[in-house]
Amino acid sequence: MPFDAANLFPILPEIAILVTASVVLVLDLYLKEKDKDINHTLTLIGLLVAIGLTGAVGGGEARIVFDGNVVRDGLTDLLRGAILVVSLLAFVYARPWLKDRGLFVGEFYVLGLFAILGMLIMVSSNSFLTIYLGLELQALSLYALVAFDRDSKKGAEAAMKYFVLGALGSGMLLYGVSMIYGATGSIEFGPVAQAVAEQGMDNKVLVFGVVFLVIGVGFKFGAVPFHMWVPDIYEGAPTPAVLLLGSAPKIAAFALAIRMLVDGLEAIQPDWQGMLLILAVLSMGLGNLVAIAQTNIKRMLAYSTISHVGFIFLGLLAGSAQGYASAMFYAIVYAVMSTGAFGILLILSRKGFDAENLDDLKGLNDRDSWYAAMMALVMFSMAGVPPTVGFMAKLLVLESVVRIDLVWLALVAVAFSIIGAFYYLRVVKVIYFDKPDPDMPVLTTSGGVRFAMSLNGLSLLALGLFPATLLSWCQSVFV
């Protein structure tokens, strides 16, 4: 196939991130210790350019380029934008923490940018092979980020666990893909969907392929019973790595599920619906119940992640355009909430001290009432309290489940949500009603971090009060 420059137009945001990562990688060799801020500035500029390009190349008819391997459609545009915005916030929050610990080096930015590039490739894939390449680029970068603090024994252990279990998950996914390729004779989603519609579940190889595929998706989301890695990695990894790992990759995992299960295997939706239903109930149940027992806030947020994944699966298993749109809304909102929660932990940390336990949040209102309010907004949103956007996200997902007559499932989800509200409200209680430790120093943060956190927290309130714009974008993707 002759090279056509027009093919590059839909992937300009990916090219921008790749160029930024390469420039930071080379430039870092020549920068002195005092000039390391240039890496940070270049990364933020690269992300802003990619966001601008996402807007420029977006809209209009869907385009398939590179021999059917890459697609640019409504889903690509919206998820790309969400991943880039969330990642931008993550880099802003991470800078003071890295500076305090002497870890303010170019490698953090390069690995972060390559992880983002992997996520963007996953979002714009139109074949099993492209999506797997994106997934591996993201995963390998994140493995390295988890072990980023070389002096941390916990970090090294977490990275090892993540690497072994991540490789197992990727292996399962690839095994499923190879079986589907064997059963359908293609790795592009269009021809696969056609072949699956003709064969149905009569082909036993296809059945096994789908099972392994769902297991792979479960692993990448961290759904029960494939959740073993999540709490340990969240607890052991450096907080900036957890911030990158716990936010945008959930949006990419949603894209993985939509591309594979909906674009490729929608014809057998009733069959994978049952598997997702089991994963959703187990994730909501175990995630919310075990989170109550945690005193380490990073572990608590890990189990809370598992319960939120259960909710995203509710939207996916509904199998309707409304269900997919509500799951997409939930995934984007969850990434914003997660960024806010870990952002506050980074702000509270300082040289020689990491905010990891519930007690570290004691009396935050007395120390800095604005950050206390932002953390409270994040917690209320995660608990699903109106008028925050978390309530809206849960409501939309539950509505899509009720529409397919799974009322019992909606009731189970509501019951687990009520249980889950306990540990979120406990954080709010600690912030507002407990007295701060007298040894705690005064919180000092730069204007940029304060502005980003204000934007992050208030967006949860604004989206809750006015959800129509984001929701209509999500719905327009699945019309």
mmCIF file of all heavy atoms in Angstrom, residues 284-311:
data_model
loop_
_atom_site.group_PDB
_atom_site.id
_atom_site.type_symbol
_atom_site.label_atom_id
_atom_site.label_comp_id
_atom_site.label_asym_id
_atom_site.label_seq_id
_atom_site.Cartn_x
_atom_site.Cartn_y
_atom_site.Cartn_z
ATOM 1 N N MET A 284 -18.912 -5.210 42.755
ATOM 2 C CA MET A 284 -19.610 -4.244 43.621
ATOM 3 C C MET A 284 -19.654 -4.751 45.064
ATOM 4 O O MET A 284 -19.465 -3.991 46.008
ATOM 5 C CB MET A 284 -21.033 -3.995 43.107
ATOM 6 C CG MET A 284 -21.074 -3.200 41.820
ATOM 7 S SD MET A 284 -22.734 -2.743 41.318
ATOM 8 C CE MET A 284 -23.488 -4.327 41.003
ATOM 9 N N GLY A 285 -19.891 -6.034 45.208
ATOM 10 C CA GLY A 285 -20.004 -6.620 46.552
ATOM 11 C C GLY A 285 -18.682 -6.595 47.288
ATOM 12 O O GLY A 285 -18.544 -5.970 48.350
ATOM 13 N N LEU A 286 -17.673 -7.254 46.720
ATOM 14 C CA LEU A 286 -16.389 -7.363 47.406
ATOM 15 C C LEU A 286 -15.738 -5.987 47.568
ATOM 16 O O LEU A 286 -15.209 -5.654 48.631
ATOM 17 C CB LEU A 286 -15.461 -8.307 46.637
ATOM 18 C CG LEU A 286 -14.143 -8.572 47.354
ATOM 19 C CD1 LEU A 286 -13.916 -10.062 47.533
ATOM 20 C CD2 LEU A 286 -12.954 -7.971 46.636
ATOM 21 N N GLY A 287 -15.771 -5.176 46.504
ATOM 22 C CA GLY A 287 -15.137 -3.860 46.560
ATOM 23 C C GLY A 287 -15.663 -3.018 47.706
ATOM 24 O O GLY A 287 -14.890 -2.491 48.514
ATOM 25 N N ASN A 288 -16.985 -2.925 47.825
ATOM 26 C CA ASN A 288 -17.572 -2.071 48.865
ATOM 27 C C ASN A 288 -17.416 -2.647 50.267
ATOM 28 O O ASN A 288 -17.214 -1.904 51.227
ATOM 29 C CB ASN A 288 -19.056 -1.814 48.570
ATOM 30 C CG ASN A 288 -19.249 -0.755 47.508
ATOM 31 O OD1 ASN A 288 -18.579 0.269 47.512
ATOM 32 N ND2 ASN A 288 -20.144 -0.999 46.564
ATOM 33 N N LEU A 289 -17.508 -3.966 50.397
ATOM 34 C CA LEU A 289 -17.429 -4.564 51.736
ATOM 35 C C LEU A 289 -16.011 -4.516 52.290
ATOM 36 O O LEU A 289 -15.798 -4.187 53.455
ATOM 37 C CB LEU A 289 -17.943 -6.011 51.711
ATOM 38 C CG LEU A 289 -19.456 -6.152 51.464
ATOM 39 C CD1 LEU A 289 -19.835 -7.598 51.206
ATOM 40 C CD2 LEU A 289 -20.236 -5.618 52.659
ATOM 41 N N VAL A 290 -15.016 -4.834 51.456
ATOM 42 C CA VAL A 290 -13.634 -4.876 51.943
ATOM 43 C C VAL A 290 -13.090 -3.461 52.169
ATOM 44 O O VAL A 290 -12.267 -3.241 53.055
ATOM 45 C CB VAL A 290 -12.731 -5.676 50.970
ATOM 46 C CG1 VAL A 290 -11.297 -5.745 51.487
ATOM 47 C CG2 VAL A 290 -13.268 -7.091 50.801
ATOM 48 N N ALA A 291 -13.577 -2.493 51.398
ATOM 49 C CA ALA A 291 -13.101 -1.104 51.554
ATOM 50 C C ALA A 291 -13.387 -0.578 52.959
ATOM 51 O O ALA A 291 -12.625 0.241 53.489
ATOM 52 C CB ALA A 291 -13.751 -0.209 50.513
ATOM 53 N N ILE A 292 -14.478 -1.053 53.568
ATOM 54 C CA ILE A 292 -14.857 -0.573 54.901
ATOM 55 C C ILE A 292 -13.754 -0.871 55.917
ATOM 56 O O ILE A 292 -13.494 -0.090 56.834
ATOM 57 C CB ILE A 292 -16.184 -1.242 55.345
ATOM 58 C CG1 ILE A 292 -17.326 -0.692 54.483
ATOM 59 C CG2 ILE A 292 -16.465 -0.990 56.821
ATOM 60 C CD1 ILE A 292 -18.655 -1.365 54.710
ATOM 61 N N ALA A 293 -13.066 -2.002 55.746
ATOM 62 C CA ALA A 293 -12.074 -2.440 56.729
ATOM 63 C C ALA A 293 -10.726 -1.744 56.578
ATOM 64 O O ALA A 293 -9.833 -1.941 57.403
ATOM 65 C CB ALA A 293 -11.886 -3.953 56.608
ATOM 66 N N GLN A 294 -10.552 -0.938 55.526
ATOM 67 C CA GLN A 294 -9.222 -0.369 55.264
ATOM 68 C C GLN A 294 -8.961 0.906 56.064
ATOM 69 O O GLN A 294 -9.835 1.759 56.172
ATOM 70 C CB GLN A 294 -9.067 -0.038 53.758
ATOM 71 C CG GLN A 294 -9.358 -1.188 52.825
ATOM 72 C CD GLN A 294 -8.516 -2.412 53.112
ATOM 73 O OE1 GLN A 294 -7.336 -2.309 53.410
ATOM 74 N NE2 GLN A 294 -9.134 -3.581 53.033
ATOM 75 N N THR A 295 -7.746 1.006 56.604
ATOM 76 C CA THR A 295 -7.342 2.264 57.243
ATOM 77 C C THR A 295 -6.366 3.018 56.336
ATOM 78 O O THR A 295 -6.190 4.209 56.469
ATOM 79 C CB THR A 295 -6.646 2.010 58.600
ATOM 80 O OG1 THR A 295 -5.573 1.102 58.372
ATOM 81 C CG2 THR A 295 -7.611 1.417 59.611
ATOM 82 N N ASN A 296 -5.712 2.273 55.416
ATOM 83 C CA ASN A 296 -4.836 2.915 54.440
ATOM 84 C C ASN A 296 -5.712 3.467 53.313
ATOM 85 O O ASN A 296 -6.441 2.707 52.659
ATOM 86 C CB ASN A 296 -3.840 1.890 53.896
ATOM 87 C CG ASN A 296 -2.883 2.482 52.889
ATOM 88 O OD1 ASN A 296 -3.302 3.086 51.910
ATOM 89 N ND2 ASN A 296 -1.593 2.310 53.108
ATOM 90 N N ILE A 297 -5.648 4.768 53.106
ATOM 91 C CA ILE A 297 -6.602 5.383 52.165
ATOM 92 C C ILE A 297 -6.337 4.958 50.720
ATOM 93 O O ILE A 297 -7.254 4.856 49.904
ATOM 94 C CB ILE A 297 -6.621 6.925 52.315
ATOM 95 C CG1 ILE A 297 -7.851 7.501 51.600
ATOM 96 C CG2 ILE A 297 -5.352 7.574 51.830
ATOM 97 C CD1 ILE A 297 -8.288 8.832 52.097
ATOM 98 N N LYS A 298 -5.059 4.646 50.394
ATOM 99 C CA LYS A 298 -4.774 4.193 49.027
ATOM 100 C C LYS A 298 -5.397 2.814 48.788
ATOM 101 O O LYS A 298 -5.935 2.544 47.710
ATOM 102 C CB LYS A 298 -3.258 4.151 48.787
ATOM 103 C CG LYS A 298 -2.674 5.541 48.501
ATOM 104 C CD LYS A 298 -1.176 5.599 48.670
ATOM 105 C CE LYS A 298 -0.453 5.055 47.452
ATOM 106 N NZ LYS A 298 1.021 5.228 47.580
ATOM 107 N N ARG A 299 -5.339 1.943 49.794
ATOM 108 C CA ARG A 299 -5.997 0.625 49.664
ATOM 109 C C ARG A 299 -7.516 0.791 49.592
ATOM 110 O O ARG A 299 -8.196 0.102 48.840
ATOM 111 C CB ARG A 299 -5.645 -0.274 50.849
ATOM 112 C CG ARG A 299 -4.381 -1.065 50.689
ATOM 113 C CD ARG A 299 -4.237 -2.093 51.792
ATOM 114 N NE ARG A 299 -4.705 -3.406 51.361
ATOM 115 C CZ ARG A 299 -3.974 -4.258 50.647
ATOM 116 N NH1 ARG A 299 -2.763 -3.948 50.266
ATOM 117 N NH2 ARG A 299 -4.458 -5.432 50.315
ATOM 118 N N MET A 300 -8.024 1.719 50.396
ATOM 119 C CA MET A 300 -9.473 1.970 50.379
ATOM 120 C C MET A 300 -9.916 2.425 48.983
ATOM 121 O O MET A 300 -10.923 1.941 48.445
ATOM 122 C CB MET A 300 -9.812 3.047 51.408
ATOM 123 C CG MET A 300 -11.298 3.272 51.595
ATOM 124 S SD MET A 300 -11.650 4.859 52.340
ATOM 125 C CE MET A 300 -11.874 5.872 50.879
ATOM 126 N N LEU A 301 -9.131 3.324 48.384
ATOM 127 C CA LEU A 301 -9.468 3.799 47.035
ATOM 128 C C LEU A 301 -9.323 2.679 46.004
ATOM 129 O O LEU A 301 -10.020 2.660 44.990
ATOM 130 C CB LEU A 301 -8.592 4.996 46.657
ATOM 131 C CG LEU A 301 -8.932 6.309 47.376
ATOM 132 C CD1 LEU A 301 -7.857 7.361 47.153
ATOM 133 C CD2 LEU A 301 -10.286 6.850 46.919
ATOM 134 N N ALA A 302 -8.419 1.722 46.272
ATOM 135 C CA ALA A 302 -8.259 0.584 45.359
ATOM 136 C C ALA A 302 -9.525 -0.275 45.361
ATOM 137 O O ALA A 302 -10.039 -0.654 44.308
ATOM 138 C CB ALA A 302 -7.059 -0.256 45.774
ATOM 139 N N TYR A 303 -10.027 -0.569 46.566
ATOM 140 C CA TYR A 303 -11.266 -1.373 46.626
ATOM 141 C C TYR A 303 -12.460 -0.579 46.098
ATOM 142 O O TYR A 303 -13.389 -1.147 45.527
ATOM 143 C CB TYR A 303 -11.517 -1.867 48.063
ATOM 144 C CG TYR A 303 -10.627 -3.031 48.415
ATOM 145 C CD1 TYR A 303 -9.563 -2.890 49.287
ATOM 146 C CD2 TYR A 303 -10.834 -4.285 47.823
ATOM 147 C CE1 TYR A 303 -8.725 -3.963 49.586
ATOM 148 C CE2 TYR A 303 -10.007 -5.354 48.111
ATOM 149 C CZ TYR A 303 -8.951 -5.191 48.995
ATOM 150 O OH TYR A 303 -8.132 -6.253 49.261
ATOM 151 N N SER A 304 -12.417 0.747 46.295
ATOM 152 C CA SER A 304 -13.495 1.566 45.750
ATOM 153 C C SER A 304 -13.457 1.521 44.218
ATOM 154 O O SER A 304 -14.489 1.469 43.554
ATOM 155 C CB SER A 304 -13.368 2.995 46.289
ATOM 156 O OG SER A 304 -13.164 3.932 45.288
ATOM 157 N N THR A 305 -12.243 1.492 43.637
ATOM 158 C CA THR A 305 -12.095 1.348 42.185
ATOM 159 C C THR A 305 -12.790 0.080 41.711
ATOM 160 O O THR A 305 -13.507 0.079 40.709
ATOM 161 C CB THR A 305 -10.591 1.230 41.810
ATOM 162 O OG1 THR A 305 -9.949 2.428 42.170
ATOM 163 C CG2 THR A 305 -10.411 1.002 40.319
ATOM 164 N N ILE A 306 -12.552 -1.014 42.445
ATOM 165 C CA ILE A 306 -13.139 -2.313 42.062
ATOM 166 C C ILE A 306 -14.667 -2.216 42.044
ATOM 167 O O ILE A 306 -15.324 -2.723 41.129
ATOM 168 C CB ILE A 306 -12.655 -3.416 43.033
ATOM 169 C CG1 ILE A 306 -11.139 -3.611 42.895
ATOM 170 C CG2 ILE A 306 -13.387 -4.728 42.788
ATOM 171 C CD1 ILE A 306 -10.490 -4.433 43.988
ATOM 172 N N SER A 307 -15.228 -1.509 43.047
ATOM 173 C CA SER A 307 -16.695 -1.392 43.069
ATOM 174 C C SER A 307 -17.203 -0.513 41.917
ATOM 175 O O SER A 307 -18.254 -0.786 41.343
ATOM 176 C CB SER A 307 -17.166 -0.832 44.416
ATOM 177 O OG SER A 307 -16.826 0.528 44.536
ATOM 178 N N HIS A 308 -16.435 0.523 41.567
ATOM 179 C CA HIS A 308 -16.847 1.378 40.435
ATOM 180 C C HIS A 308 -16.791 0.610 39.121
ATOM 181 O O HIS A 308 -17.603 0.836 38.222
ATOM 182 C CB HIS A 308 -15.960 2.623 40.348
ATOM 183 C CG HIS A 308 -16.244 3.629 41.418
ATOM 184 N ND1 HIS A 308 -17.452 4.291 41.530
ATOM 185 C CD2 HIS A 308 -15.492 4.080 42.454
ATOM 186 C CE1 HIS A 308 -17.412 5.099 42.570
ATOM 187 N NE2 HIS A 308 -16.235 4.990 43.152
ATOM 188 N N VAL A 309 -15.819 -0.297 38.992
ATOM 189 C CA VAL A 309 -15.726 -1.125 37.782
ATOM 190 C C VAL A 309 -17.004 -1.956 37.628
ATOM 191 O O VAL A 309 -17.518 -2.127 36.516
ATOM 192 C CB VAL A 309 -14.477 -2.045 37.854
ATOM 193 C CG1 VAL A 309 -14.545 -3.149 36.819
ATOM 194 C CG2 VAL A 309 -13.216 -1.214 37.666
ATOM 195 N N GLY A 310 -17.533 -2.436 38.760
ATOM 196 C CA GLY A 310 -18.801 -3.167 38.730
ATOM 197 C C GLY A 310 -19.901 -2.325 38.099
ATOM 198 O O GLY A 310 -20.697 -2.811 37.286
ATOM 199 N N PHE A 311 -19.942 -1.039 38.438
ATOM 200 C CA PHE A 311 -20.962 -0.140 37.873
ATOM 201 C C PHE A 311 -20.755 0.079 36.375
ATOM 202 O O PHE A 311 -21.718 0.133 35.604
ATOM 203 C CB PHE A 311 -20.952 1.206 38.608
ATOM 204 C CG PHE A 311 -21.871 1.235 39.790
ATOM 205 C CD1 PHE A 311 -21.408 0.959 41.065
ATOM 206 C CD2 PHE A 311 -23.218 1.508 39.619
ATOM 207 C CE1 PHE A 311 -22.272 0.964 42.155
ATOM 208 C CE2 PHE A 311 -24.093 1.519 40.698
ATOM 209 C CZ PHE A 311 -23.613 1.246 41.976
#
